[in-house]
Amino acid sequence: MDVFDASGHEQVVFCQDRETGLKAIIGIYSTALGPALGGTRFYPYESESDALADVLNLSRGMAYKNALAGLDLGGGKAVIWGDPARLKSEALLRAYGRFVESLNGRYYTACDVGTYVQDMDVVARETRYATGRSVEHGGAGDSSVLTAWGVFQGMRAAAEHTWGTPSLRGRTVGVAGLGKVGRYLCGHLLDDGATVVATDVSETARTWARTTHPQITLVPDTTALITSDIDVYAPCALGGALNDDTVPVLRARVVTGAANNQLAHPGVSKLLEDRGILYTPDYLVNAGGVIQVADEIQGFNFERAKLRATGIFETTGRILQLAGDEGVPPAIAADRLAERRMAEVGRLRSIYLG
């Protein structure tokens, strides 16, 4: 891969500490709006090229997510290549923190798949640029709380656009993935009067659903979920959920979920449109988490952050209206709005302040 031409990133940093086994890649897509902010994913990729491809896609998505969320932050992301169950240690996390610190504030990190609040507390012992820390250590705590809240707001906006009411009451929502975000989302949906059908590869997650929310109907796998009689599909696991195989059999009229990079390739957006399925771009609706950790940078206030995450409802409605006015899929309308803000606000950095 020719990273320079293909990705358009400002900076890609490879980090290694042999003693701890740390192999990490930090991708900074854009700092037009401010320092790059994005989580650290700890995952056992099949190859280095897979890890690189993921960090490039994720960091680009963070730039668009932060722009649409109205944050004065650019887009970045990091991946640690390896099995967290085997490799994660205090020494490895602190070594990673040293590499984050070496970027001198160009990149703020946070939690993602495979990393947790407690991990960020350890990373923060070596860097000033770790967010998503525990409340006990002056942080915002679990960012999944507002991620799920934002997804719920985006889903409400999609419901209003599709059925004329900003509520999921009487609708059936299929949730793929009962991890950190999916669990909170299920709670919001049930409180709103929705029927929830769900699946997860983890028996622990399925047991949680049976014991905590026995009214959730569990199905064996994602194929069974998307081919069931659902109104809304919420992908809340890993990316690529919407592809050439899943879209043709998807029965939902709306797709709104927490997973990053849900479209396997850009052409999937057109496939969804051709089938009359409304897709709310993932980086638009799942921005609640980054809003939460961004608020931590200035001294965290939960109510302030929640109010901003609630604004995802209004932003989603605006983008769906823009897509209709311009005759383009919502993903393209969202891209245009994010790119416009990065260009217009980012241009102000050219005014010399001395």
Side-chain angles (χ1 to χ4, degrees):
M1 177 192 299
D2 187 332
V3 175
F4 291 105
D5 291 337
S7 73
H9 282 64
E10 289 182 15
Q11 189 174 11
V12 179
V13 181
F14 287 76
C15 314
Q16 180 173 233
D17 180 64
R18 291 183 183 275
E19 290 298 318
T20 62
L22 172 71
K23 292 182 178 179
I25 309 172
I26 301 172
I28 297 175
Y29 181 77
S30 170
T31 56
L33 295 176
L37 171 64
T40 297
R41 179 166 294 188
F42 203 144
Y43 191 76
Y45 296 97
E46 291 292 327
S47 66
E48 181 183 283
S49 61
D50 288 345
L52 177 60
D54 203 28
V55 77
L56 294 180
N57 286 333
L58 291 167
S59 53
R60 180 182 184 276
M62 286 305 304
Y64 283 69
K65 180 187 296 188
N66 293 339
L68 282 181
L71 301 174
D72 291 332
L73 293 164
K77 202 81 173 186
V79 298
I80 298 175
W81 179 21
D83 181 357
R86 185 175 62 86
L87 281 179
K88 190 186 293 184
S89 66
E90 178 188 350
L92 181 146
L93 293 171
R94 292 182 70 157
Y96 171 65
R98 300 284 290 181
F99 283 111
V100 172
E101 181 67 21
S102 74
L103 294 172
N104 200 32
R106 280 180 54 77
Y107 169 64
Y108 280 83
T109 194
C111 305
D112 197 75
V113 174
T115 60
Y116 301 87
V117 168
Q118 295 77 11
D119 298 327
M120 289 302 113
D121 285 343
V122 177
V123 171
R125 294 172 71 175
E126 300 293 341
T127 180
R128 296 162 287 174
Y129 308 111
T131 62
R133 293 164 294 149
S134 67
V135 175
E136 294 80 1
H137 287 81
D142 184 7
S143 63
S144 303
V145 174
L146 290 189
T147 301
W149 179 249
V151 172
F152 178 58
Q153 298 307 315
M155 197 179 291
R156 290 179 59 242
E160 182 175 55
H161 185 85
T162 304
W163 297 295
T165 178
S167 172
L168 282 305
R169 179 171 297 278
R171 303 293 170 186
T172 300
V173 182
V175 179
L178 295 172
K180 293 186 286 187
V181 178
R183 295 183 185 192
Y184 285 116
L185 179 60
C186 286
H188 295 316
L189 292 169
L190 292 170
D191 288 344
D192 196 37
T195 298
V196 177
V197 182
T199 189
D200 197 292
V201 296
S202 166
E203 180 57 35
T204 301
R206 294 193 295 270
T207 299
W208 169 87
R210 294 188 192 101
T211 56
T212 308
H213 295 298
Q215 64 269 54
I216 293 176
T217 299
L218 294 173
V219 295
D221 52 36
T222 302
T223 300
L225 182 72
I226 64 175
T227 56
S228 63
D229 190 16
I230 56 176
D231 299 299
V232 181
Y233 174 41
C236 294
L238 296 178
L242 301 171
N243 55 51
D244 295 330
D245 296 323
T246 57
V247 172
V249 298
L250 179 61
R251 297 187 65 180
R253 287 191 61 191
V254 171
V255 177
T256 302
N260 289 310
N261 299 323
Q262 292 171 27
L263 304 182
H265 59 80
V268 174
S269 180
K270 184 64 165 58
L271 294 177
L272 290 163
E273 186 180 33
D274 289 345
R275 290 210 58 220
I277 299 171
L278 179 67
Y279 166 66
T280 55
D282 45 58
Y283 65 81
L284 162 64
V285 300
N286 69 12
V290 76
I291 289 170
Q292 179 169 326
V293 298
D295 196 84
E296 186 177 321
I297 294 172
Q298 56 183 314
F300 184 62
N301 180 288
F302 181 80
E303 292 306 320
R304 178 178 62 200
K306 185 176 182 181
L307 183 63
R308 190 161 205 166
T310 303
I312 291 173
F313 174 84
E314 182 179 342
T315 305
T316 302
R318 179 184 173 194
I319 285 173
L320 295 178
Q321 181 64 48
L322 182 65
D325 293 345
E326 297 186 356
V328 298
I332 293 177
D335 282 354
R336 288 177 178 175
L337 196 61
E339 288 163 0
R340 187 181 309 157
R341 182 166 185 263
M342 283 189 276
E344 293 176 355
V345 179
R347 182 196 61 78
L348 300 178
R349 299 296 175 93
S350 66
I351 300 173
Y352 180 64
L353 298 179

